[in-house]
Amino acid sequence: QQKVQQSPESLIVPEGGMASLNCTSSDRNVDYFWWYRQHSGKSPKMLMSIFSNGEKEEGRFTVHLNKASLHTSLHIRDSQPSDSALYLCAASASSGSWQLIFGSGTQLTVMP
Amino acid sequence: GGIITQTPKFLIGQEGQKLTLKCQQNFNHDTMYWYRQDSGKGLRLIYYSITENDLQKGDLSEGYDASREKKSSFSLTVTSAQKNEMAVFLCASSIRNTEVFFGKGTRLTVV
């Protein structure tokens, strides 16, 4: 079983709609979470990171983190066709192993 | 800003062949990573290195070797290429627990 699980595998939302993506780690050592976005044919680029319980907002993007359940979610409001991409969640530990483990991704399609 | 350069961009090899992929970064980052990405899928960690001459295995290390002889470079060797290994190999670097930057990838095709 993958250490970082993402759901759903794919998501279609209408332009202007809200997209919600989920990610959970099964490794209790992790405490840093990252969201990366990868447009088709390009390399992943970091979108947002979160290390503390609660919520963080940057423009149309909001991430939540619940450290007790090792669950993070990414919400995109007023989705645009340019948001269509593969969204990758990653987790790392602030001490111990230096690994950065990615999930299998959520493919988001925003329909005009 | 820095850059991560991966060579070659495209690599075609024969089944059973030993193939080497190279990665250079000028960020002066300590940590470097090799990931494999199958079409439309997530990233799987092959090897990572926290400093020069250090090597740590990821979950997908079987069938691969790695080398970090200099801080700025990290190479990956496919020891015996298999047809089910066709994928994009991504090199990345970071300072620990900060943003990871990726190269543009090497696309491997095995014939």
Side-chain angles (χ1 to χ4, degrees), chain A:
Chain A
Q1 189 186 16
Q2 278 204 297
K3 292 180 186 173
V4 176
Q5 302 248 7
Q6 290 188 244
S7 64
E9 280 189 23
S10 61
L11 180 62
I12 300 174
V13 299
E15 184 173 357
M18 170 78 85
S20 295
L21 293 69
N22 296 293
C23 174
T24 303
S25 173
S26 59
D27 183 349
R28 297 225 62 91
N29 294 310
V30 306
D31 51 359
Y32 281 30
F33 288 86
W34 314 80
W35 286 94
Y36 282 75
R37 182 169 68 181
Q38 185 179 26
H39 285 108
S40 180
K42 302 292 187 184
S43 297
K45 284 192 166 50
M46 194 189 78
L47 194 58
M48 292 182 75
S49 59
I50 188 162
F51 314 136
S52 304
N53 266 328
E55 176 180 302
K56 184 175 173 181
E57 182 178 330
E58 290 180 6
R60 297 184 293 109
F61 299 86
T62 302
V63 289
H64 294 267
L65 176 61
N66 180 324
K67 288 186 112 171
S69 61
L70 297 178
H71 179 262
T72 178
S73 56
L74 172 68
H75 306 270
I76 308 172
R77 61 176 171 81
D78 188 25
S79 297
Q80 301 298 308
S82 58
D83 294 328
S84 298
L86 181 66
Y87 287 79
L88 296 159
C89 173
S92 63
S94 58
S95 62
S97 169
W98 290 53
Q99 294 189 54
L100 178 66
I101 302 298
F102 282 81
S104 55
T106 293
Q107 183 67 52
L108 173 65
T109 303
V110 181
M111 302 293 288

Side-chain angles (χ1 to χ4, degrees), chain B residues 36-111:
Chain B
R36 173 177 152 173
Q37 186 172 33
D38 295 334
S39 182
K41 305 292 185 185
L43 308 183
R44 290 189 285 173
L45 182 62
I46 306 172
Y47 268 96
Y48 65 105
S49 166
I50 65 174
T51 189
E52 185 178 323
N53 292 319
D54 174 73
L55 292 174
Q56 309 278 344
K57 292 183 178 182
D59 288 339
L60 200 64
S61 63
E62 189 170 333
Y64 302 94
D65 287 327
S67 172
R68 180 103 183 265
E69 292 173 1
K70 292 191 301 183
K71 186 177 182 179
S72 61
S73 66
F74 194 29
S75 62
L76 180 73
T77 298
V78 181
T79 56
S80 177
Q82 304 297 315
K83 282 197 173 176
N84 63 4
E85 250 173 332
M86 289 189 284
V88 174
F89 291 82
L90 289 166
C91 176
S93 74
S94 75
I95 297 171
R96 185 176 183 176
N97 283 325
T98 63
E99 180 178 357
V100 171
F101 294 88
F102 286 86
K104 294 187 175 181
T106 293
R107 184 174 295 275
L108 174 65
T109 302
V110 182
V111 296

Side-chain angles (χ1 to χ4, degrees), chain B residues 12-26:
Chain B
I12 300 174
Q14 304 238 326
E15 195 169 15
Q17 193 177 359
K18 185 174 174 180
L19 302 165
T20 298
L21 292 67
K22 294 187 183 293
C23 176
Q24 295 264 357
Q25 53 98 358
N26 63 1

